[in-house]
Amino acid sequence: MSTKQAAAETPVLMTDEDFENHGEVSVYWLTSASVLINSHGTTILMDPVITPTSEDPLISEAMDDDQTGYMPLLVRSPIYAPDIHKLTAVLTTHADVDHMGFLSIRALQKLGVAFHGTPYVGKALEELGVPGEQITTHLVGETFQIEDVTVEVTDALHPWQKYFPQVYDYVYQPGDCCGYKCTCGGGVVIWNPGDSEPLDSHFTHTDADLVFMDYSEDAMACHMGRDAAVRLSNHLIDSELVMYHWGTFDQPAVGWCNADPQQIRPLISRPERFHALRPGEKFVVHKNSKKG
């Protein structure tokens, strides 16, 4: 595990223009596990934790592992939830504090957007004050539509609480956590696997044109772990890879938020596919002709 962290570069600050229809499919990494998809103006925000708790932009809304304080940040978010004025939907992979920011959720709820997640996530959203009529829950394997985007709920397994039985009474069960595979305009496929141990099913998503990949060092935390993430990356040989879940929280002793793109890039077959974006940097996704 690293004692010194790789930090993301200075963010590209985002504006309303990034949420408009530009006749293309683009993605943005917003720090940590938060990502935005803009498919011809259909805007989908996944796992928003993008709002500071005070005027200090480097104090997150996510609590630390001991739940004793808000985690300091290495880099600010490129946009705060209260500054988002138009959004189609929010997708949440699971209910951890680094994937479901309470300030971000409450701000986005005021826009009247649709929230999607597993039944467990749906209950957590209600506890944060999201009205039930704005929440739709889904089982793993289901598909649903968000305007021009078809979303498939993919399998994930993230029972990290099992390592802390003295603290947590409940351990995530199969179906509590998930990933999302979005088929966007023009057939462009974008996959966010969510936090998960490596699963055989992960290796079946060979139609993905772009994958958000977590190269965290600590597999014990029920993340994929570096070795499995590299193996999956090299199996999905025709997919673009955007590194996420890194470079954000100032937690050098915590493996689940640590990864270094300079160490990962040499391990990737066809490394030109590997992208360590600046937060807020626009990346236009094209349909890979090899995928039909």
Side-chain angles (χ1 to χ4, degrees):
M1 188 182 301
S2 296
T3 56
K4 182 179 179 181
Q5 287 179 269
E9 296 184 29
T10 303
V12 179
L13 298 185
M14 299 172 65
T15 68
D16 291 346
E17 183 69 16
D18 294 296
F19 295 79
E20 296 297 329
N21 184 352
H22 299 286
E24 62 194 9
V25 177
S26 56
V27 299
Y28 304 76
W29 174 57
L30 307 185
T31 65
S32 191
S34 304
V35 301
L36 174 72
I37 297 173
N38 183 338
S39 173
H40 300 266
T42 298
T43 50
I44 299 173
L45 183 56
M46 297 189 192
D47 290 357
V49 183
I50 55 175
T51 306
T53 55
S54 68
E55 293 182 0
D56 185 345
L58 295 182
I59 301 296
S60 175
E61 61 188 306
M63 301 289 285
D64 59 25
D65 279 356
D66 296 329
Q67 302 291 291
T68 57
Y70 297 109
M71 285 192 284
L73 298 169
L74 296 166
V75 62
R76 61 153 287 176
S77 171
I79 191 167
Y80 302 150
D83 297 325
I84 296 174
H85 303 117
K86 184 176 72 172
L87 186 68
T88 309
V90 175
L91 306 185
T92 303
T93 62
H94 62 293
D96 285 353
V97 294
D98 62 319
H99 291 255
M100 184 186 287
F102 72 102
L103 291 175
S104 294
I105 294 295
R106 289 170 182 170
L108 297 170
Q109 174 265 316
K110 294 177 183 178
L111 294 177
V113 302
F115 288 81
H116 298 266
T118 65
Y120 188 95
V121 164
K123 293 178 182 178
L125 289 169
E126 287 187 343
E127 291 174 0
L128 289 180
V130 179
E133 60 267 23
Q134 285 181 244
I135 302 170
T136 304
T137 61
H138 309 274
L139 302 178
V140 171
E142 288 185 1
T143 61
F144 59 97
Q145 202 73 22
I146 301 175
E147 295 186 350
D148 76 330
V149 178
T150 301
V151 183
E152 176 187 352
V153 184
T154 64
D155 202 8
L157 186 63
H158 188 51
W160 59 270
Q161 300 94 337
K162 67 184 179 182
Y163 294 109
F164 308 96
Q166 71 280 12
V167 178
Y168 298 100
D169 294 328
Y170 185 82
V171 176
Y172 282 146
Q173 299 298 301
D176 288 344
C177 309
C178 70
Y180 295 103
K181 187 163 67 172
C182 300
T183 302
C184 303
V188 172
V189 179
I190 298 167
W191 181 38
N192 178 356
D195 287 5
S196 180
E197 299 175 0
L199 302 172
D200 289 344
S201 61
H202 287 149
F203 290 80
T204 67
H205 296 285
T206 54
D207 58 341
D209 296 295
L210 181 142
V211 180
F212 286 97
M213 193 68 74
D214 174 8
Y215 297 96
S216 301
E217 296 182 7
D218 190 359
M220 193 193 82
C222 298
H223 287 252
M224 195 163 295
R226 176 176 297 182
D227 291 346
V230 169
R231 188 167 70 251
L232 178 58
S233 298
N234 292 338
H235 177 75
L236 305 178
I237 191 63
D238 294 318
S239 301
E240 300 290 327
L241 306 166
V242 170
M243 183 174 174
Y244 83 139
H245 218 297
W246 74 285
T248 302
F249 296 113
D250 188 359
Q251 299 280 287
V254 179
W256 58 259
C257 60
N258 276 314
D260 185 343
Q262 299 307 316
Q263 294 179 10
I264 301 300
R265 185 175 285 104
L267 305 177
I268 301 300
S269 299
R270 294 182 52 226
E272 67 274 12
R273 302 181 297 130
F274 177 86
H275 308 280
L277 302 178
R278 294 169 62 187
E281 179 181 355
K282 180 179 179 179
F283 186 88
V284 179
V285 189
H286 300 284
K287 185 66 182 172
N288 189 324
S289 60
K290 294 181 181 178
K291 299 181 184 298

